[in-house]
Amino acid sequence: PHAAQHVELLAEKIPGAAVTTLTSACGLDKWWLSALFHWTRGSECLQRELRMPADVPGEWHIFEFWSRRYFRHSLGSSRPECLEPRSCSLFVLRQVASTAQFVGSNIHISCGLEVHEWQVTGRQVHLCIKAARSLPEARIWVYLPGSSQACPPCLMGSKEEVEIYPEVWSLRLPYISADGAAFGITW
């Protein structure tokens, strides 16, 4: 046993950013979580550069978990908005691929560990989501190359499909039980 220790959460020595790699055995490629912190007693907004996992050329899907905002990122570009005092942003980073990709969700902070199966065959995706709790309102963000307003995705039972960026869609899922649910997306 140890005595309790006082921790000053607004101390200057707390890092302003952290990056970690995540993997899954379900068929998703590895992805990264990048967090930016602005722990300060001040009132100034802070413009931080997004910490990327490596100097890998190409484009990246960037999904901010808390605000559920998506943008595309290339090396050398900066984060579009500033970070308010006493706040943090949690970004999910996936390198843009030539096949369908899971981009993010409002289900789990990892934006991927809730996916227990991800199979892409041509213009069809089969996925299974498990969250250990029932989800009456869940949403996922997916990249579907070749999709468009003229050729939108079809998810059986979906209440809403919104294209938020060319070929990137926000899909509202039907009810998911605590045991999970399987879905098919075609486009």
Side-chain angles (χ1 to χ4, degrees):
H2 299 281
Q5 295 181 2
H6 173 74
V7 176
E8 176 59 57
L9 294 178
L10 298 177
E12 294 296 320
K13 62 185 174 190
I14 293 177
V19 177
T20 189
T21 305
L22 294 173
T23 58
S24 171
C26 74
L28 296 178
D29 292 334
K30 74 177 175 179
W31 70 101
W32 294 264
L33 292 182
S34 180
L36 297 178
F37 307 101
H38 184 26
W39 306 133
T40 181
R41 288 190 173 94
S43 59
E44 295 297 315
C45 188
L46 180 65
Q47 184 72 39
R48 281 199 197 266
E49 203 169 300
L50 182 61
R51 286 202 46 197
M52 300 300 289
D55 289 335
V56 179
E59 289 191 305
W60 293 77
H61 298 290
I62 309 293
F63 180 75
E64 205 285 319
F65 178 77
W66 303 117
S67 66
R68 291 155 175 66
R69 291 180 51 205
Y70 171 88
F71 63 95
R72 195 66 66 86
H73 181 83
S74 298
L75 290 179
S77 64
S78 63
R79 190 167 170 267
E81 73 274 353
C82 72
L83 199 56
E84 295 295 326
R86 296 166 297 286
S87 69
C88 70
S89 293
L90 180 63
F91 296 94
V92 179
L93 314 171
R94 288 184 166 87
Q95 197 162 20
V96 175
S98 60
T99 62
Q101 290 178 282
F102 186 83
V103 172
S105 79
N106 66 352
I107 300 168
H108 193 272
I109 197 167
S110 70
C111 291
L113 295 179
E114 70 278 28
V115 178
H116 283 251
E117 188 175 346
W118 178 267
Q119 293 179 320
V120 179
T121 307
R123 294 171 65 101
Q124 198 168 33
V125 174
H126 173 78
L127 72 146
C128 179
I129 294 180
K130 293 183 182 179
R133 67 186 191 284
S134 62
L135 300 165
E137 291 286 325
R139 188 173 286 276
I140 61 171
W141 284 257
V142 292
Y143 171 60
L144 305 172
S147 63
S148 66
Q149 292 292 328
C151 184
C154 178
L155 172 68
M156 200 61 160
S158 177
K159 301 173 185 168
E160 181 182 337
E161 300 89 15
V162 179
E163 188 175 33
I164 57 167
Y165 191 89
E167 304 176 315
V168 178
W169 297 81
S170 172
L171 306 175
R172 186 181 303 171
L173 301 177
Y175 176 84
I176 300 173
S177 74
D179 295 328
F183 303 98
I185 304 169
T186 58
W187 68 100

